[in-house]
Amino acid sequence: MLVLAQYGEIGTKGKNRPGFERLLLSNIKETMKGMLKSAKVRDSRIFLEVEGDAGEARSRLMKVFGIEWFAFARECGKGVDEIWEAVAGENLAGKGIAVETKRVDKSFPMKSQELSAEIGARIVKKFGCRVDLGNPDVRISIIIGRNAYVYTEKIKGLGGLPVGSSGRVLCLLSGGIDSPVAAWMMMKRGCSVDFLHVHAFEKWDGEKGKKISAMVGKVAEYGGRPRLYSVPYSDFYAQTGKVRPEYELVVFRRYLYRLAERVALEKGYGGIVSGDSLGQVASQTLENIGAAQSGLEVPVFRPLVAMDKMEIVALAEKTGTYSLSIEPYKDCCSLVAVSNPLTRARKAEVDRIAGEIGLEGIVEKSFRSISEHI
Ligand code: ATP
Ligand code: MG
């Protein structure tokens, strides 16, 4: 089977374009492993020779960032009769049709419109179709390039940029709905994402933490080879008795950011990703976000900041993480006093508490107890 795929934004990359194209091809190869006979870029289009189940190929290609659309195509010679034969292989009986032609090969003797009209007339004659250029049931596309290519269904891809083209970021992953979606959105912008999860177990437990691993696995279907770093919550928890309860949540957030920063600086991540959505919960007010992230050297990205919960849930369903996110899990957030958290924490007070409990030392201890999973 031949699949034609078209990239979108990569096309605007000027002299960097070949690098983006190479990365996209290599990501496609990875996602299509076992199904790909060949893959190449020609005239800004991607040509894939695919074997195996078409439905499987389709669902895999729909998970590759950087593909704007793709189509299962028939390839034939550039004679009108050959093109007609390829078109006639489609089942078009009784449909409203439109034919469109694109000539990449400008030496082709007919104008695009002439070829479209000729093929359209033959379709009408053979299948009894009506021509409906404005709102066709089937749009028959013909591309004249090195050969001729015919397809009838343009399948929308994810768009975005190839994973890996924008660098690496570290996502703070909770057991909830939002953070895996945040990671996915950064992947859409070309980041490869690894994850840092603070858990409520004494040490990482593959069985208890399998939901977290499964979430990472689900996001991994969209590319990259995400790593999961896990850290026990106990180092922080041991000190929280000293923290005023209404400040506990925001101090915990400060701890999460500092730990992520420590990992980012050590391992070369260009940013920290968090699933915050402004105003969604007490820790996500402007004041609390500001107080929690104050003093960080590494930028924090919050791709969900302006989305509401319904939109985030819809995306989680689309990406496939939702059903995992709602499985029961003992998140350490439930251990942080959340009964009456402040909505307007003062940065100076968070600084003071951080000093009092020796946050730097706690972060260092946690950093040393990180375990790494693929
Ligand atoms: P989520 O649905 O992602 O859990 P939430 O609405 O429950 O988000 P919070 O619990 O305030 O909101 O968490 C906000 C963000 O903080 C999360 O999206 C995630 O990035 C980070 N975070 C929360 N808990 C943890 C944790 N245990 N380990 C790592 N990061 C965490
Ligand atoms: Mg949460």
Side-chain angles (χ1 to χ4, degrees), residues 229-268:
Y229 303 101
S230 71
V231 187
Y233 172 61
S234 46
D235 299 331
F236 179 79
Y237 192 51
Q239 302 302 322
T240 47
K242 296 185 198 158
V243 179
R244 286 161 57 187
E246 69 273 26
Y247 265 90
E248 205 175 311
L249 191 57
V250 64
V251 173
F252 176 61
R253 309 290 313 204
R254 168 78 64 96
Y255 161 78
L256 284 178
Y257 287 134
R258 282 293 152 90
L259 183 59
E261 175 187 51
R262 180 75 177 82
V263 177
L265 292 174
E266 180 82 17
K267 310 241 177 202

Side-chain angles (χ1 to χ4, degrees), residues 176-206:
I177 295 168
D178 304 338
S179 37
V181 177
W184 185 87
M185 289 188 67
M186 295 306 286
M187 290 167 77
K188 181 172 185 188
R189 295 312 301 160
C191 290
S192 50
V193 182
D194 289 337
F195 294 92
L196 174 63
H197 174 63
V198 177
H199 59 77
F201 328 128
E202 219 164 283
K203 61 181 183 30
W204 179 249
D205 179 323

Side-chain angles (χ1 to χ4, degrees), residues 172-174 177-179 198 253 275-276 280 283-284 331-332:
L172 282 164
L173 181 69
S174 71
I177 295 168
D178 304 338
S179 37
V198 177
R253 309 290 313 204
D276 296 315
Q280 192 192 82
S283 61
Q284 298 171 11
D331 189 5
C332 56

